[in-house]
Amino acid sequence: MVLRVKALESLMVEKGLVDLAALDAIVDLFEHKVGPRNGARVVARAWSDPAYKARLLADATDAVAELGYAGGQGEHMVVVENTAQVHNLVVCTLCSCYPWPVLGLPPVWYKSAPYRSRAVIDPRGIVAEFGTYLPVDIEVRVWDSTAEIRYLVLPERPAGTDGLDEQALAALVTRDGMIGTARL
Ligand code: FE
């Protein structure tokens, strides 16, 4: 795969179809600027500001853009809220659709066939394998991402965090918590 990518890149540069500096800028963007920390800021704001949370649940695309996160693979965002009664899990059964502006690039397991099939067949089992045992009486909702709609889980705010500001709250939010393979 590495050789194939290198060969494709060389060919495209040689033919003048892409600019190496532009490729480096794209890699730098997704390695250093776009990642789960963006989603964590969205979650922390929702925990801190009830009006923002209402906007986020009503129109996630607009609310996420308020914090400056928008663009490719995030044009139509939907945020689903975890509660004491409901746990949400996100998958793309067809391929690997994922909300890039708020979570960055998807982890390898998210794109794997076992995760994509088992998230639907046995969501509790999958979440348990990630180390989280969901209570038997909690309802599990699985959301199948598409090329159009990308989902983000709004985790429950952990107990005992009343005094924390948004920055400290954001530090508590994990990528897996926003995919639903973990509960905070
Ligand atoms: Fe997909």
Side-chain angles (χ1 to χ4, degrees):
M1 180 58 83
V2 172
L3 280 175
R4 266 193 210 178
V5 170
K6 196 71 209 156
L8 257 179
E9 184 183 318
S10 304
L11 202 62
M12 290 172 88
V13 170
E14 203 177 293
K15 288 178 178 287
L17 295 172
V18 296
D19 174 8
L20 270 184
L23 285 182
D24 287 345
I26 292 169
V27 171
D28 179 65
L29 175 73
F30 284 102
E31 282 188 346
H32 300 114
K33 298 186 182 74
V34 180
R37 77 191 77 173
N38 294 2
R41 273 196 63 211
V42 170
V43 169
R45 174 67 54 88
W47 284 347
S48 311
D49 179 347
Y52 181 78
K53 180 179 163 182
R55 291 201 297 284
L56 186 66
L57 294 174
D59 184 340
T61 313
D62 274 3
V64 165
E66 282 180 40
L67 298 191
Y69 310 133
Q73 319 291 319
E75 292 93 342
H76 302 285
M77 292 284 311
V78 171
V79 168
V80 287
E81 183 185 16
N82 279 356
T83 65
Q85 293 80 36
V86 174
H87 181 79
N88 295 286
L89 178 67
V90 179
V91 63
C92 173
T93 56
L94 192 64
C95 44
S96 57
C97 300
Y98 194 70
W100 291 17
V102 282
L103 291 185
L105 301 177
V108 172
W109 55 257
Y110 183 86
K111 300 184 268 187
S112 71
Y115 177 75
R116 284 158 39 208
S117 58
R118 291 193 48 224
V120 179
I121 298 165
D122 180 22
R124 286 172 186 277
I126 276 270
V127 173
E129 279 173 33
F130 277 84
T132 296
Y133 294 89
L134 297 170
V136 286
D137 56 346
I138 204 167
E139 179 192 341
V140 181
R141 294 180 187 162
V142 180
W143 300 88
D144 193 3
S145 309
T146 68
E148 280 79 39
I149 299 180
R150 307 299 167 97
Y151 297 95
L152 184 78
V153 175
L154 174 59
E156 267 191 292
R157 181 172 174 158
T161 58
D162 285 358
L164 300 184
D165 64 13
E166 270 187 52
Q167 204 179 348
L169 286 171
L172 302 174
V173 183
T174 62
R175 178 197 67 194
D176 291 2
M178 294 181 282
I179 299 174
T181 47
R183 257 174 103 76
L184 300 187

